[in-house]
Amino acid sequence: MSCLLGIETSCDDTAAAVLRDGAVQSSIVSSQHDIHADYGGVVPELASRNHQRYIAPVVQQALAEAEVSLDALDAVAVTHGPGLPGSLLVGLSYAKALAAGRGLPLVGVNHLAGHLYSTDLAPEPPQRPYVALIVSGGHTMLVHVADTFTHRVLGQTRDDAAGEAFDKVAQLLDLGYPGGPAIDTHAAAGDPSFHDFPRTRLDAFDFSFSGLKTSVLYYLRDLGAERAAVLDAHLADVCASFQQAVVDVLVGALADAVAATGVSTITIAGGVAANSALRAAVHTLAAQRGLSVHLPPMDYCMDNAAMIAHVGALRWARGTAAPATLDIDPRLAL
C-alpha cells in the first residue's frame, strides 16, 4: 500500500498528481500557454513566477480530486531536472518544504525518466525490453530499456529538438504557440509531397533538426512577393511537407534502433508523441515489422505529474529517497 504525491514544474506547466497503489487518482496540469503565446515560446522568468502563483492551488486540487489528505501521503516525488532552473526550483522548494513539514520521504525524479516510463500508465504497459523514442520541445532521443532503470541512450539531438522545430516553424508561418498542435491540425488537410524538405540523419542514432528549420526559413524567404499568395493557397501543404520530414527522420531512426537492438516492442513518449502523423507512422512501422507498439494516453504525452509520481513510486519501492540537500540540475542526463 502506498500513496505518493508527484510534483512537476520543469518548464511552463505546473502539475501535481496523486498515485495510490500504482493507480493514478488525480492528475492536475495548469498550463501557461496563453501567458507565453505572445512571445512565441516560453519566457523563463514568467514561467517561474507563475509556478509560484499556481503550485499551492494545483497541489490542493490534486489532493482534493483524489480525496486524499496530507496525512495519507507516504512520500513526495518531484522533478529536479532537467529543465528551466527557475521553474525547477519552485517545484523542488515546495516539495522539500512539504516533505519536511510532514515528515515524509522526498524522492527526486528525472523528468526524462518520467517520459520514458510514462507508457507504464497506459492500459497495456510495455514489457521490457523495448526501444523508446522520446520527443518533446526540449528533447529528442532514442533509448534502449533493458529493464526498469536499466536503460541506455542510443542517440539524441545535437541541436534543436523535434518539438522545438515545430514551434519555430509555426512561428515562421504565423501559427502561434505552441506550434505542434497547430501544424498537426493544418497538415491533416495538406499534401506531404508538396515540397521536399531535407531529412537529416547524423552518425549512429543522433538527430539534427536545425537544418530542416532553416530550410523552411529559406523556402519562405525565396517565395518573395508571392509568399502571401502561396501560403494562402498552400499553408496546409507546407505544414504537411514539414511534418512529414520530421516524422520520416524520427521513424527511420526508430526502425534502425529496432534492428540494432533486436527488440520486439517500441514506445514513443513526450509532447510530440501526440502528433497524429507520428502516431500513425509508428503504428505502420509496427505492423510492417511485427512489433508491439505502446503509447502513453494523450494526457500523459505532455508534461504531467502522474509520470513523476509513477517513477517516484518505482524508486521509493527500491528504498531510494533523496537527501534534504537535493538540488536542481537543469542539465540532468537520463
Side-chain angles (χ1 to χ4, degrees):
M1 300 288 289
S2 65
C3 186
L4 277 82
L5 171 68
I7 295 174
E8 154 64 27
T9 62
S10 65
C11 190
D12 63 329
D13 288 331
T14 310
V18 174
L19 191 79
R20 180 189 288 145
D21 299 331
V24 178
Q25 304 299 303
S26 65
S27 180
I28 306 300
V29 179
S30 177
S31 172
Q32 297 184 23
H33 289 168
D34 290 344
I35 295 171
H36 301 280
D38 290 342
Y39 304 95
V42 177
V43 181
E45 177 64 20
L46 291 178
S48 58
R49 288 184 180 183
N50 281 281
H51 283 311
Q52 291 177 324
R53 178 181 178 186
Y54 292 115
I55 183 76
V58 165
V59 168
Q60 291 167 2
Q61 185 177 350
L63 292 171
E65 187 172 299
E67 299 183 346
V68 166
S69 68
L70 290 173
D71 292 334
L73 295 178
D74 294 304
V76 179
V78 61
T79 302
H80 69 108
L84 300 176
S87 295
L88 289 167
L89 190 60
V90 174
L92 181 58
S93 298
Y94 186 94
K96 276 187 172 184
L98 179 59
R102 306 296 299 190
L104 297 170
L106 179 72
V107 184
V109 175
N110 186 313
H111 176 77
L112 293 173
H115 280 306
L116 182 61
Y117 297 109
S118 64
T119 45
D120 287 346
L121 300 174
E124 296 182 7
Q127 297 295 311
R128 282 62 162 158
Y130 60 83
V131 167
L133 174 65
I134 301 177
V135 273
S136 67
H139 306 277
T140 299
M141 59 177 58
L142 280 165
V143 185
H144 177 237
V145 179
D147 203 348
T148 304
F149 300 135
T150 303
H151 49 249
R152 176 170 60 96
V153 176
L154 300 174
Q156 55 191 319
T157 184
R158 295 189 188 178
D159 41 57
D160 292 354
E164 183 181 0
F166 270 99
D167 287 339
K168 289 181 177 178
V169 168
Q171 193 171 12
L172 293 175
L173 296 173
D174 297 321
L175 295 180
Y177 174 84
I183 288 179
D184 193 10
T185 298
H186 284 283
D191 176 7
S193 65
F194 174 74
H195 185 81
D196 186 22
F197 289 113
R199 276 79 164 154
T200 302
R201 283 284 305 279
L202 302 179
D203 296 337
F205 300 106
D206 284 347
F207 302 93
S208 172
F209 292 101
S210 64
L212 173 58
K213 174 197 65 181
T214 303
S215 179
V216 176
L217 174 67
Y218 288 168
Y219 167 76
L220 295 174
R221 182 201 63 183
D222 292 345
L223 291 176
E226 298 179 357
R227 171 172 173 161
V230 170
L231 290 183
D232 184 58
H234 297 288
L235 175 61
D237 299 324
V238 173
C239 288
S241 299
F242 162 75
Q243 180 172 268
Q244 191 62 52
V246 174
V247 169
D248 286 349
V249 169
L250 293 174
V251 176
L254 180 58
D256 289 347
V258 167
T261 58
V263 301
S264 59
T265 301
I266 55 176
T267 72
I268 58 172
V272 184
N275 180 272
S276 62
L278 177 59
R279 294 171 82 92
V282 169
H283 279 295
T284 298
L285 172 66
Q288 292 172 342
R289 301 286 183 92
L291 305 172
S292 173
V293 60
H294 299 263
L295 295 82
M298 293 295 282
D299 288 346
Y300 299 148
C301 289
M302 310 305 176
D303 289 353
N304 65 90
M307 66 183 189
I308 302 304
H310 170 63
V311 174
L314 294 175
R315 292 179 60 83
W316 184 61
R318 298 182 177 208
T320 304
T325 55
L326 179 68
D327 201 357
I328 64 169
D329 187 347
R331 297 183 180 275
L332 184 64
L334 180 62

